[in-house]
Structure formats: C-alpha cells, structure tokens
Amino acid sequence: MAVRFLSHELSDLCLGKPALRSLSITSTIAEALEVLKTSDDNFVSVWSCDHHKAKTTTPGFESAAGFSDDYDDDDDCRCVGKVCMVDVICYLSKDENLVSPSVALKEPVSVLLPKIPGLVMHVEPSCSLLEAIDLILQGAQNLVVPIKTKINNKRKQHQKPSPTVTSHKGREFCWLTQEDVIRFLLSSIGLFSPIPAYSIDSLGIISPEVLTIEYHSPASAATGAISRALVDQTSVALVDSEGTLIGEISPFTLACCDETVAAALKTLSSGDLMAYIDCGGPPEDLVRVVSARLQERKLNGMLEHFTMLTSTGGFSSATSSSDEESMAAPVSPLPRSGRYSRSMSYSARMVRRAEAIVCHPKSSLMAVMIQAIAHRVNYVWVIEDDCSLVGIVTFSDMLKVFREHLENMP
C-alpha cells in the first residue's frame, strides 16, 4: 500500500483542476484588477510572455499569455509569479498612490510581484509526490503543471473564447498548492497512523513566531505585516494589550474584497478594518468615516474612486452553499466591499468572516488539518482556554511531519 502511495505523480493531483487564467507581465494593474474581479480564483498567474505578440492559433481564440505555436522553446513563456487583490490593496494604500489611484493603476503588474524567487515553479506531470512536497518545503507556493485537454472539433466550434486561459502548444496549465497536497494526504490518512491522532503540541509544530497588531492600532501600521502574511500564506493576529486573540486581518479575507479597502486600510484602526472587511459588508458608519477622513486628508483621487464603488449597487451579494454557512455568514443589505461582476453563488472559500480559526495545543493533527481545509485556509491559530495566543500551525508545518514519515515508510 505504501509503495503504491509513493508512486503517485502530480498528474494524479491535477485531475479536475481548472486551467489557469493568466496575464502578461506587461499588463497593467488595472487589467489585473479586471481579471481578478471576474475570476473564481483569488490569484491570477503572471507570465513572461507579451500579449501583443500572441497569435491566434484557433479561429476566434487568442492565447492570453502570449503563447503561440511559433514558440519552439517552452522557456520563452513561463509563469513568473502571481497576484491577488491583496497585492493591489497594499499597493494602492501607499501615500503616493492614494493621491491618484487612476495613475497608479496604469503601472505594469510587475511592480506587484514579490522579489522572492521560487514562489512559483514549473514542474512536469511526472513529478513525484515526494518531489512536490520537497519543493513546497523549500518555499514554493504554487507548482505549475501542464495539463492536456481533449476537446472535439464540434465542441471547439461552440466553445466561448476565453482570452485569459493559458494555452501553449495545445497544452493548458494548472497549479497545485499546499492545500491540494494536504487534501491528497488526507484521502490516505490511514497510511500515516498513528501520527494523525497525535496532538500538535506533542509533534512540535506550533510556531510561536506570529504576526500581530494591537486592536486599537492604526490599520496602516499592519500593511507590512499583511504583505508578509500574504507571502507566508498566514495571517495577522488582532490582539488586545494582554495578548488575547480577538480576531485577524487575513489576506484570505482581503482577497475577497475590492481595491477600495486600500482607503479603509489607510484611515481606520485595525479593529475597525476587521469589521469593515467582514463578509457581511462594511457597516455604513465605517463607510462614512473612511469618506470623511479621505476628505480631511485631501486624498481626492481615492475619495472619488471610493465613493464611486461604494455608492453603486453593482456588488454581488454573498450567498452561501449551505444552511450552516448561511448562519455563519449572513447577507447584509448593504453593498459588500467585495468583487462585483462575479458569480452570484459564493462558496465558503470565496467569502469568509473575519473571525479567526482556532484550535488548542492538545488538538490532534488530523482535527487541525480538517479544520483548515474546511475553512480553506493554510493555517490555524493556537490558543489556550483563556484565548491567549500560543502560536500558529501551518500546512507547511504539517507537511514536514508527513514528509518525515514518508521517508521512513517500509
């Protein structure tokens, strides 16, 4: 059984994965914003190809990532990174960009990419599960894998063109994340017995190194921590003066918002920002506070942008996929500070409350895995009975445990 499990390749994990939506590295931030607002994924891949050099390879279809059959070398077109709404929000919250967001949005999307190599890596479908885990533990967040899609000619004629789907020499690409690997391991969790029943404390995977911000501190003071949390795939804990966990400012939650949150990030306290980005939508009084403070600071460019988006009724309402989710995330009559022109059906992955997901040091590894997967996050906060913050457990920490066990499998 163990030998069979170790023989799995990444192609096994790619089954059913959607093709990546992509942008050229020469695209503007405004173009990236448009793709993010109409995408079901929180991230969009950025490729080294120039869209303007793309050639139509199929009638009515133009490759979005600059791929064409004229490219003889796959290295001519590679995924060089990824961007999400959090990158845009943090970028626009800078003083110089708040003055004129319309100018800032004309900058190339490349300015949003973190200067950290190896976050996104290309691998072959034949790459083994162990090799993939090793790459993730070395810092890779997304493994870009080519996938083959077979579409018959009749279907191709009626297929609606998708100008942002990455296609190269008849192949599309998907990417695999830490969550995909953890889900796959969970499907064969019995092979790792008795480790999944051990507490996270006994396994030594609780990290005390956490990003925190005090509840009453200006939210702008957390901008750097938010950017770091995005790279680390964690979150920023909101604590009181005694270190008690109150909530979080999560890049995951921010990714479901729109760019006007940059104004809230600049003008509100950390506690108010947490309330602002809650999935129920920003309270009307906080919207007025943000507008007033933008006006006081003479940030007219962002004020105009903020007023236009928050006053329209074009925001999609959040609807949950189950009665339980409906109770956890009620729909507000106010326009939500979230994406518009999106699907009207939201899953728990797309819209989540700003409440922190927590566990206890004595919680089992399996329980914490299930908890994180259920909430579609890469981490779980660890607290004591009095809600004092102990640390954080991440998918990366869990993968280290499983990798060690896989290495010693008979």
Side-chain angles (χ1 to χ4, degrees), residues 353-376:
R353 295 188 68 86
E355 297 171 355
I357 311 304
V358 300
C359 68
H360 190 272
K362 298 303 178 184
S363 297
S364 70
L365 173 60
M366 184 169 178
V368 177
M369 286 176 65
I370 294 173
Q371 202 173 358
I373 288 174
H375 291 279
R376 303 302 298 269

Side-chain angles (χ1 to χ4, degrees), residues 30 80 84 103 130 146 150 177 209 244 265 277 316 403:
V80 295
C84 72
V103 173
L130 281 178
K150 295 181 180 180
T177 64
E209 298 180 5
T244 300
L265 179 60
I277 64 177
S316 296
R403 179 63 180 87

Side-chain angles (χ1 to χ4, degrees), residues 86-393:
V86 186
D87 295 303
V88 179
I89 290 171
C90 290
Y91 174 75
L92 289 179
S93 68
K94 296 179 180 179
D95 290 336
E96 61 272 24
N97 296 332
L98 285 168
V99 173
S100 183
S102 59
V103 173
L105 291 175
K106 293 178 182 178
E107 290 293 312
V109 72
S110 58
V111 304
L112 301 180
L113 298 178
K115 306 296 187 280
I116 302 175
L119 292 180
V120 177
M121 297 190 68
H122 281 257
V123 293
E124 290 299 319
S126 58
C127 177
S128 72
L129 179 61
L130 281 178
E131 290 172 330
I133 293 176
D134 286 339
L135 288 173
I136 290 174
L137 293 179
Q138 291 166 16
Q141 293 183 358
N142 297 73
L143 302 178
V144 180
V145 187
I147 54 176
K148 290 185 178 180
T149 54
K150 295 181 180 180
I151 304 176
N152 59 44
N153 292 332
K154 185 175 181 181
R155 181 182 171 189
K156 188 180 293 185
Q157 292 174 1
H158 297 284
Q159 188 179 44
K160 184 179 179 181
S162 181
T164 57
V165 171
T166 306
S167 178
H168 181 36
K169 295 184 178 180
R171 296 195 302 180
E172 293 178 338
F173 293 80
C174 72
W175 59 23
L176 296 174
T177 64
Q178 292 181 9
E179 181 187 349
D180 293 316
V181 176
I182 288 289
R183 281 181 177 273
F184 191 77
L185 294 176
L186 186 61
S187 68
S188 301
I189 198 68
L191 290 175
F192 300 93
S193 181
I195 290 177
Y198 292 168
S199 71
I200 54 175
D201 187 20
S202 66
L203 290 171
I205 58 174
I206 303 174
S207 173
E209 298 180 5
V210 295
L211 299 168
T212 63
I213 186 76
E214 205 273 327
Y215 184 85
H216 296 290
S217 298
S220 57
T223 305
I226 292 170
S227 296
R228 169 71 184 278
L230 178 63
V231 171
D232 293 344
Q233 297 185 309
T234 58
S235 183
V236 181
L238 210 60
V239 298
D240 63 14
S241 57
E242 298 180 352
T244 300
L245 182 66
I246 299 174
E248 68 175 349
I249 300 175
S250 169
F252 178 86
T253 306
L254 286 169
C256 298
C257 301
D258 68 23
E259 72 274 19
T260 60
V261 173
L265 179 60
K266 191 65 178 179
T267 58
L268 297 178
S269 69
S270 296
D272 284 341
L273 177 64
M274 183 179 69
Y276 189 95
I277 64 177
D278 202 332
C279 71
E284 192 173 2
D285 59 333
L286 287 181
V287 173
R288 289 196 294 267
V289 168
V290 173
S291 295
R293 291 178 181 172
L294 288 174
Q295 192 168 7
E296 288 172 7
R297 301 178 189 185
K298 295 181 171 38
L299 297 173
N300 297 327
M302 178 54 80
L303 177 61
E304 181 180 351
H305 195 75
F306 179 82
T307 302
M308 178 182 68
L309 288 184
T310 56
S311 63
T312 62
F315 294 96
S316 296
S317 300
T319 60
S320 66
S321 58
S322 70
D323 292 337
E324 181 180 348
E325 289 172 14
S326 296
M327 292 175 66
V331 178
S332 170
L334 287 174
R336 176 180 169 270
S337 180
R339 304 174 185 176
Y340 50 87
S341 300
R342 296 285 305 267
S343 167
M344 293 300 289
S345 176
Y346 277 71
S347 67
R349 177 180 67 84
M350 297 309 303
V351 180
R352 180 172 69 82
R353 295 188 68 86
E355 297 171 355
I357 311 304
V358 300
C359 68
H360 190 272
K362 298 303 178 184
S363 297
S364 70
L365 173 60
M366 184 169 178
V368 177
M369 286 176 65
I370 294 173
Q371 202 173 358
I373 288 174
H375 291 279
R376 303 302 298 269
V377 291
N378 286 38
Y379 61 90
V380 177
W381 298 108
V382 185
I383 62 172
E384 294 288 4
D385 292 335
D386 61 357
C387 291
S388 58
L389 184 60
V390 176
I392 192 171
V393 175

